Amino acid sequence: MAFANPLALLALLSLIPIVILYLIKPKPKEIDIPSLMFIMDAERRENRYQTMLNKIVRDPLMLMQLLFLILLSLAMAAPYFLATETVRADHTAIILDASASMQAEDPGRFDLARQAAEKFVSGKTSIILAKNKQVVALQRGGRADAKDTLRRVQPGATTANIGDAIILAKSMIEGGEGGEEKGAIVVISDFANVDLGAISASKMLANAAGIDVVYKQVGNDADNIGITYGKLERKGDKYEYFCNIKNYMDDTKTIPIEVLRNGKNILGERVTIPAHSSELFALTDLKPGETDVALQHGDALSVDDRAYIVIPAIAKRKILFVSENANPPAKIAIGSLPDTECSVVKPPVLPEFGNYDIVVIGNITKDSLLPGTFNDLASFVGSGGDLAILASDGISKIKTEGLLPVGMRASGSAGSTVLNKGIPTEFTKDIAFDDISVTRHLKTEPLNNSIVNADDGSSMLAYQQSGAGVVLYSGFGEGDSRWNDFHTRVDYPIFWRQVVDWMSGVLGIDEYNVKTGRTYPLGGEQDVGTPSGAIRTDNLLFDDCGYYQIGKMDIATNLYDPLESDLSVSIMSEEARTLEPDLVKAEVEKELWSYLILLVMFFAGFELYYLRARGEL
Amino acid sequence: MIDTEFFNQLNRFSLMVRKRVSSVYAGSRRAVLQGKGIEIVGYREYMPGDDIRTIDWRVYGRTEKLYIRKFEEEKNVTTHILLDSSKSMDFSSSSDGTTKFDYAAMLACGFGYLVARENEKFAISTFDEEIDITPPKRGRGYLLHTIDRLNELQLQGTTRFDHCTSQYSKMIRSKSLVVIISDFLTDLDSIRAGLYRLAPNDLIVISVYDPAEYDLSIEGDVKLYDMETNDIRKTYISPKLRQDYKTQLDLHFGGIRETCMHIGADFFSFGTDLSIFDAFFKTVKAR
């Protein structure tokens, strides 16, 4: 035993005068008394323990006073001893697996995890929901906060990245109270299809920082049939959907499937799936709106029993193509796009631009356009219209009123070049510009934010925001073999589809049908409708299956994860299966002063009681 | 030492109370019982079982019928005074050294003096573990002899009240006045048994105590010696213990008083600080 304040032991010297006082106390008077009979009777009426005390010590008051002073002195010296023992952590970070598989079984694995987590709540508790992105539900909260948080949290429909959650918990523990506090991390999960390598690595990192990591496993093997994959593809004006339905059970199952459009049943099917196999289920001729594919059977996990499909209703986009040529390749590519109405107009007389969504200026000469045409185009773009200017011999000689995103050089055109990609954009993804053979191009001033560049620094593809609209410059022209062979390549119509979709703000169908776990930056706080209710956020995490409403846009989210749908559990050790708190083993300073103070108070109280019992108070 | 100066006070006292107590003492008292005696009060016809010695043969000679003589019972009443001489009676806290025994002996001699003045028989017997029985006699000379005996008496031992009264009651032949003077510091059951045994007599019970003994005017750590048993007890006399002690004492004497009321005896309790005259006055006044 050691003392934090050993100087206080000098207070024990105060015992000496007490002992001396009692030593010099006069001897008891010797008195003859006619009979002791009544004295003894009176003594019998006194407290039995007091009588016993009297037998043990001659003067219990002296003993009490000595003990009082000794204990007080010891308490002041703050004694402690070091003990290696199991203690609760100062700060416990509880990681709850909130993946889709935790929704399985009845009672649910997540409910079991939540109940187990309550037992691990310590003085300070942090709660992290391990999804594919970590969600901090509580940071360094008190006992009541922790229990309240545990009542509120719900599992998601994503995968779980437990390894990253451990790293986050480690940093949260290390960040508190100068790293002095004792921390522990408790991971409560079904550990079904998790990345054990990443978890072990994270655990080792935490252990190296002196933080104990405890695994607690919930759940048992469970049967499931679920939709593990889904894909929506456009076929002309229609969409096709096909999905994979997997049977994780040990016997063949025939399950009914219902298809619902905007909530109404439109189709009923039955599918037979052999044990541990998958069957493909396809839907054709899907129309805009919401379509659900529901597996009508009962199993341990419901989140993968329904696929949600959304097809946005897109209005036809009207495009004005201005060109001296009657049917240039660019016009053909644009005209072939779905939901698009493209008309070619030969200058100089042009229709009202306001009737179109996009205006494309193709092959023109210096005198093709009437004066003021670009002024009208500037107004059109400023009010939200989009403009594409394609390279042609005449364009460098026309005043474009600052609409052209690139500066033309006076030297005119240049010969063959190799193309280099600049900044990536949505509309240039998957386009192989490197393979395009360029034999002639217009020379432009070098541009920092150019999307595709020629060897000489000329920009081949660039855009700029102008008012509420966008102006795109394409150095590839409207499709002339004397300039390049882009218009002959397979990705040429793709390029134009992506440009038109980008300009008209239409996303690809995959942007409307996403897998859970994806985040969606909203650029500012806004109200969002989720499958479980409305929330307000600036960065949306799709962690639930169903339909989300972001403004006027509907987005369908699905689990589509064969690993999460697999509810088989590898049973871990008995220790991990025991959902009781394991305590952190550590060498701790056991302080005794508080106990001593309690004893001091007890003796003070007892001395008062004793004096009162003797009738001296 | 027995102070006999107070006898003069008793002279004045006895004159003052004689009229009031004229029927108390045996010599002046009419016996209501008929039995053995000298004066014939009448005759009645013989019934089988009567003592044939009481048959008046002269009446038989005249009447040829058996008649027996009826006598008036002896009118004199003997006074038996039982005085506690156990070691506890040797206690004194007064400045003049008067012990409880001195005080009790003065009371006993006072009763003896009053009885001797009436020329009645009296006996002062002392008791502790055994009883020293003295036969009842008349006269002042006997009183003086008794005073000398008491002055020379060595106090010792404990009190075996039941045993001693059992021994003494055997020598009381007719209803007598019995005066018991003691500190009664012994077992209450023993006292009760003794008192019941003497109950057929006219009984006066006098408890004598020392004021210091009752108040227990000591405090703190003490080593107490029991005067009768020589037992030693170390203890701390706290106010509460003192209060409990008094309670026990009151319960004890309350028990004796209750027994006396039950058997029709007179009970008095005198501290040694009370003058003998006052003690006699209270005793006589109550009767």
Side-chain angles (χ1 to χ4, degrees), chain A residues 33-34, chain B residues 88 91-101 103 183 185 207-218 242 245-246 249-250 253 269-275:
Chain A
I33 189 165
Chain B
S88 64
F91 183 79
S92 169
S93 66
S94 67
S95 55
D96 60 1
T98 303
T99 64
K100 287 194 287 184
F101 181 77
Y103 191 86
D183 57 6
L185 295 183
S207 158
V208 176
Y209 65 90
D210 190 286
E213 173 189 17
Y214 182 75
D215 295 337
L216 198 67
S217 55
I218 47 177
R242 187 186 305 130
Y245 169 82
K246 279 188 180 180
L249 218 53
D250 289 340
F253 288 105
S269 183
F270 300 133
T272 54
D273 55 343
L274 185 73
S275 72

Side-chain angles (χ1 to χ4, degrees), chain A residues 361-421:
Chain A
I361 304 296
N363 188 21
I364 54 170
T365 63
K366 180 187 174 186
D367 302 320
S368 292
L369 300 176
L370 293 172
T373 299
F374 267 92
N375 284 333
D376 294 341
L377 284 170
S379 301
F380 165 70
V381 173
S383 59
D386 297 311
L387 175 65
I389 302 173
L390 309 183
S392 63
D393 284 327
I395 198 72
S396 59
K397 298 164 186 161
I398 297 173
K399 286 186 177 177
T400 57
E401 303 297 336
L403 287 176
L404 202 59
V406 296
M408 291 298 174
R409 286 193 206 168
S411 52
S413 62
S416 61
T417 183
V418 175
L419 297 179
N420 302 306
K421 273 191 176 180

Side-chain angles (χ1 to χ4, degrees), chain A residues 224-232 240-248 255 257 271-274 276-283 293-295 297 299 303-309 515 558-563 565-566:
Chain A
N224 188 35
I225 298 174
I227 301 169
T228 57
Y229 178 79
K231 181 72 179 170
L232 195 61
E240 281 184 5
Y241 171 79
F242 57 91
C243 64
N244 223 18
I245 303 169
K246 186 164 183 180
N247 176 9
Y248 290 91
I255 56 166
I257 298 177
V271 176
T272 300
I273 314 165
H276 299 288
S277 297
S278 298
E279 282 294 322
L280 204 63
F281 180 77
L283 289 173
V293 176
L295 310 185
H297 74 293
D299 61 16
V303 72
D304 61 357
D305 290 342
R306 183 178 281 247
Y308 303 91
I309 305 158
K515 285 177 68 175
N558 292 287
L559 176 61
Y560 292 158
D561 190 323
L563 292 179
S565 292
D566 185 356

Side-chain angles (χ1 to χ4, degrees), chain B residues 106-169:
Chain B
M106 281 191 277
L107 283 174
C109 293
F111 279 108
Y113 177 74
L114 290 176
V115 173
R117 276 175 59 86
E118 300 298 326
N119 200 28
E120 297 288 357
K121 285 182 183 175
F122 72 95
I124 300 178
S125 302
T126 58
F127 67 95
D128 39 62
E129 290 172 20
E130 297 295 337
I131 188 159
D132 183 11
I133 299 171
T134 54
K137 289 184 180 173
R138 291 190 177 84
R140 291 191 179 186
Y142 181 63
L143 176 62
L144 293 173
H145 173 73
T146 302
I147 290 170
D148 288 342
R149 185 171 61 84
L150 294 178
N151 273 331
E152 289 168 9
L153 189 69
Q154 289 294 314
L155 304 183
Q156 61 182 8
T158 58
T159 309
R160 293 170 68 197
F161 192 79
D162 184 26
H163 171 70
C164 294
T165 50
S166 169
Q167 295 293 315
Y168 197 82
S169 62

